[in-house]
């Protein structure tokens, strides 16, 4: 790889930052998507409402933070300092989140009663700094370095990172939380005895270390210059000036591409959030085995991104998105049909022969997710105006995170609350647990299929732009 391909930055440094900072960020997001929910059930209270509030508030804070710091980074023409400071504070906030466990165990009644609120509050603080470091900082920095020569490889990395984060986070996370739990490996497995403090301290410290490393190795793209448009507030709100946006022909395609990904991620946010609790409380796996089942399925799925990178470079993005939708929908629907109770699997081990249908379904679901991450990011970001990439990252977060999280969480909450459980399950405190059922995946599969509608219109705009691009290249 030539150095000028990365604006003078050495290739090894570029990819070290991409993978190192990416993995650190994804581990934190994985904890929020996967372990925070099981932590709440095990240590705070098995109430789906707490999880729902966490998701909604976190999504709101993430979006606001991205707009605020994204606009700030555009005006300063800097990304590095937002990444470094954001990651360090993000890691600290992760550790503080875990300490809410002691509030619920406190002999002070008022403090114990506030534990649910403290969980939501500390999660919001973590999301605020996480978005500063990852969304408005790291993601925008990557976009500054992405071009037609490397977009397939960058897209592959962006798709693989959430998977590796999930694999490492779920597998290693499962091992960490199981350390010291005397009931692991017995028929009387008790999730409330799992060691979540170790998980949060290890992950939080790792993110802090990566923040420090970014100070030493990261380099802002020399092509990024300070861009100021009026006052800070005027520039911050300019992204919502629809008359101005209408003048850019790429914005229609960008909007449609965002709607495609948004529609896909609405069901993702009500099935993936609860998949861990479904496998643990309804199907009967331990937290460690749950991590292995999800992790291995997703790890195999990420291998698909390697050959797909060339198709991205050849401008076949809509075709890849089509395949991702079909595979994800099939996997979800099959999961709801093939795995309905503990009798359909072997809970003695993650990779027992009887669990093959479960693993195949998760592989299909994961492949669809990975492919749309690989292509959706590159598709949308490739349409951002160069001078306002940080600010427009907020638009992406709006469609990729905020809207899907809010709508998906509400739908998931309604489904779980209104679905009769096969058996009444209680936590160690005697409270009835809101356990997700397999119908969650059936409904998700149907909604995922609806993504084909906006994809049809987005593909038309994509084709027009690519044809125009080829004509301009021929003239040159």
């Amino acid at each position: 790889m030539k150095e000028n391909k990365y604006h003078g930055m050495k290739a090894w440094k570029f990819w070290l930052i991409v993978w190192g900072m990416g993995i650190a960020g994804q581990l934190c997001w994985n904890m929020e998507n996967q372990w925070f929910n099981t932590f709440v059930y095990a240590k705070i209270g098995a109430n789906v409402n707490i999880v729902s509030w966490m998701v909604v508030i976190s999504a709101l804070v993430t979006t606001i933070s991205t707009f605020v710091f994204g606009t700030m980074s555009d005006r300063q023409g800097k990304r590095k300092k937002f990444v470094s400071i954001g990651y360090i504070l993000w890691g600290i906030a992760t550790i503080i989140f875990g300490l809410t466990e002691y509030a619920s165990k406190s002999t002070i009644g008022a403090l114990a009663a506030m534990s649910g609120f403290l969980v939501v509050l500390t999660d919001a603080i973590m999301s605020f700094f996480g978005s500063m470091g990852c969304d408005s900082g790291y993601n925008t920095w990557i976009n500054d370095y992405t071009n037609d020569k490397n977009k397939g490889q960058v897209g592959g990395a962006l798709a693989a990172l959430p998977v590796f984060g999930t694999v490492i986070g779920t597998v290693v996370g499962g091992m960490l939380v199981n350390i010291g739990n005397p009931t692991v490996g017995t028929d009387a497995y008790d999730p409330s005895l799992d060691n979540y403090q170790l998980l949060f301290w290890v992950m939080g410290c790792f993110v802090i270390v990566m923040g420090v490393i970014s100070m030493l190795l990261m380099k802002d793209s020399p092509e990024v210059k300070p861009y100021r448009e009026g006052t800070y507030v005027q520039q911050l709100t300019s992204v919502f000036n629809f008359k101005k946006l209408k003048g850019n022909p790429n914005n229609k395609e960008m909007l449609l591409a965002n709607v495609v990904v948004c529609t896909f991620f609405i069901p993702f946010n009500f099935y993936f959030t609860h998949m861990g609790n479904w496998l643990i409380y309804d199907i009967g796996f331990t937290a460690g085995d749950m991590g292995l089942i999800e992790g291995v399925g997703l790890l195999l799925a990420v291998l698909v991104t390697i050959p797909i990178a060339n198709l991205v470079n050849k401008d076949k993005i809509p075709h890849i998105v089509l395949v991702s939708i079909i595979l994800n929908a099939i996997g979800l629907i099959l999961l709801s049909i093939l795995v309905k109770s503990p009798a359909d699997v072997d809970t003695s081990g993650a990779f027992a022969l009887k669990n093959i249908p479960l693993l195949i379904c998760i592989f299909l679901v994961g492949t669809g997710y990975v492919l749309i991450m690989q292509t959706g990011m590159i598709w949308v970001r490739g349409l951002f105006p160069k001078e306002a990439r940080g600010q427009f990252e907020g638009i992406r977060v709006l469609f990729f995170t905020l809207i899907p999280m809010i709508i998906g969480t509400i739908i998931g909450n309604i489904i779980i609350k209104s679905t009769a459980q096969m058996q009444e399950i209680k936590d160690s405190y005697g409270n009835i647990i809101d356990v997700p059922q397999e119908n969650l995946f059936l409904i998700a599969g149907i909604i995922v299929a609806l993504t084909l509608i906006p994809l049809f219109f987005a593909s038309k705009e994509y084709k027009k732009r690519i044809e125009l691009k080829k004509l301009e290249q021929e003239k040159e």
Side-chain angles (χ1 to χ4, degrees):
M1 296 182 184
K2 297 179 180 180
E3 283 191 19
N4 60 9
K5 190 176 182 180
Y6 305 106
H7 305 305
M9 187 176 183
K10 291 184 178 180
W12 72 267
K13 283 188 178 182
F14 172 77
W15 288 110
L16 179 62
I17 292 295
V18 168
W19 285 102
M21 302 302 295
I23 287 294
Q26 290 301 326
L27 283 174
C28 264
W29 290 135
N30 170 257
M31 280 197 301
E32 187 166 5
N33 291 330
Q34 187 68 58
W35 293 112
F36 279 19
N37 306 323
T38 57
F39 166 75
V40 169
Y41 267 51
K43 302 295 185 178
I44 306 299
N47 186 339
V48 72
N49 289 328
I50 297 177
V51 174
S52 298
W53 275 109
M54 282 173 58
V55 172
V56 171
I57 298 298
S58 173
L60 283 168
V61 170
T62 294
T63 306
I64 293 170
S65 176
T66 305
F67 276 118
V68 169
F69 291 112
T71 303
M72 200 178 294
S73 72
D74 286 335
R75 288 176 68 85
Q76 296 180 12
K78 304 292 183 182
R79 318 292 189 198
K80 176 180 175 178
K81 68 178 182 180
F82 294 97
V83 175
S84 302
I85 296 172
Y87 267 68
I88 291 171
L89 295 176
W90 195 8
I92 294 171
T94 299
I95 295 171
I96 292 174
F97 175 87
L99 299 179
T100 58
E101 172 184 344
Y102 298 109
S104 67
K105 294 179 178 179
S106 174
T107 55
I108 303 173
L111 186 60
M114 287 180 62
S115 60
F117 168 77
L118 292 174
V119 163
V120 176
L121 176 63
T122 51
D123 179 46
I125 294 172
M126 175 183 164
S127 296
F128 183 79
F129 291 122
S131 184
M132 174 189 177
C134 192
D135 291 316
S136 59
Y138 166 79
N139 283 329
T140 307
W141 179 85
I142 286 183
N143 200 13
D144 292 336
Y145 280 88
T146 303
N147 51 55
D148 288 339
K149 294 181 180 179
N150 64 22
K151 65 181 181 181
Q153 289 70 30
V154 171
L158 292 175
L161 283 168
V163 175
F164 286 137
T166 300
V167 171
I168 297 171
T170 52
V171 175
V172 177
M175 294 169 60
L176 290 174
V177 299
N178 278 168
I179 290 177
N181 186 339
T183 64
V184 172
T186 69
D187 293 334
Y189 170 63
D190 185 356
S192 69
L193 299 179
D194 282 335
N195 188 357
Y196 282 91
Q197 289 302 310
L198 182 59
L199 171 68
F200 294 143
W201 275 91
V202 169
M203 298 298 186
C205 289
F206 176 60
V207 173
I208 293 171
V209 169
M210 289 309 301
V212 174
I213 290 176
S214 71
M215 291 181 178
L216 304 175
L217 297 181
M218 205 169 201
K219 177 182 178 182
D220 284 321
S221 169
E223 291 191 355
V224 178
K225 306 298 181 184
Y227 173 69
R228 291 180 172 84
E229 187 180 28
T231 66
Y232 173 80
V233 174
Q234 288 173 332
Q235 188 167 335
L236 177 66
T237 56
S238 66
V239 74
F240 300 105
N241 186 341
F242 297 106
K243 288 183 179 180
K244 180 181 176 181
L245 293 176
K246 192 175 180 181
N248 188 332
N250 286 344
N251 286 335
K252 182 178 180 181
E253 182 188 345
M254 183 174 66
L255 175 62
L256 288 169
N258 271 310
V259 170
V260 169
V261 180
C262 180
T263 307
F264 182 93
F265 276 113
I266 285 173
F268 175 83
N269 276 281
F270 71 72
Y271 74 78
F272 190 76
T273 300
H274 298 288
M275 185 177 282
N277 283 330
W278 172 69
L279 286 169
I280 293 173
Y281 292 98
D282 193 37
I283 303 303
F285 288 103
T286 65
D289 282 341
M290 177 274 289
L292 287 172
I293 290 169
E294 287 190 9
V296 172
L298 289 170
L299 185 59
L300 293 175
V302 82
L303 297 176
V304 181
T305 65
I306 298 174
I308 293 298
N310 290 327
L311 294 178
V312 174
N313 287 337
K314 293 178 180 178
D315 297 321
K316 300 294 183 183
I317 286 178
H319 300 81
I320 303 169
V321 174
L322 174 63
V323 173
S324 72
I325 293 168
I326 294 172
L327 291 179
N328 189 263
I330 290 174
L332 288 167
I333 293 171
L334 286 178
L335 190 62
S336 69
I337 295 172
L338 300 177
V339 185
K340 294 179 176 290
S341 70
D344 296 321
V345 297
D346 184 349
T347 57
S348 65
F351 305 121
L353 190 63
K354 196 175 182 180
N355 297 337
I356 290 178
L358 171 63
L359 293 169
I360 291 175
C361 288
I362 290 179
F363 168 73
L364 291 174
V365 171
T367 300
Y369 162 71
V370 166
L371 291 183
I372 206 163
M373 282 293 293
Q374 179 180 18
T375 53
M377 287 279 198
I378 294 298
W379 190 354
V380 170
R381 285 176 174 163
L383 299 168
F384 288 175
K386 292 182 179 180
E387 71 277 4
R389 284 173 177 156
Q391 187 177 22
F392 271 75
E393 189 66 26
I395 294 292
R396 184 195 66 79
V397 171
L398 185 68
F399 284 94
F400 278 54
T401 304
L402 179 61
I403 297 174
M405 274 192 170
I406 291 178
I407 297 177
T409 299
I410 292 172
I411 294 175
N413 200 347
I414 292 172
I415 294 171
I416 293 171
K417 288 286 189 180
S418 61
T419 302
Q421 297 182 189
M422 292 181 61
Q423 56 180 327
E424 187 177 276
I425 302 175
K426 296 183 178 180
D427 61 18
S428 58
Y429 303 104
N431 302 312
I432 297 176
I433 298 174
D434 296 318
V435 180
Q437 304 296 305
E438 72 280 353
N439 66 332
L440 203 64
F441 307 110
L442 175 61
I443 297 171
I446 294 171
I447 297 178
V448 165
L450 296 177
T451 308
L452 295 172
I453 298 174
L455 177 62
F456 173 77
F457 296 101
S459 298
K460 283 187 172 183
E461 297 299 321
Y462 182 89
K463 186 177 180 181
K464 288 180 186 177
R465 179 170 58 85
I466 296 302
E467 288 178 349
L468 182 61
K469 177 183 173 182
K470 289 179 179 178
L471 286 174
E472 291 176 348
Q473 289 175 343
E474 289 174 1
K475 289 180 182 179
E476 294 176 357

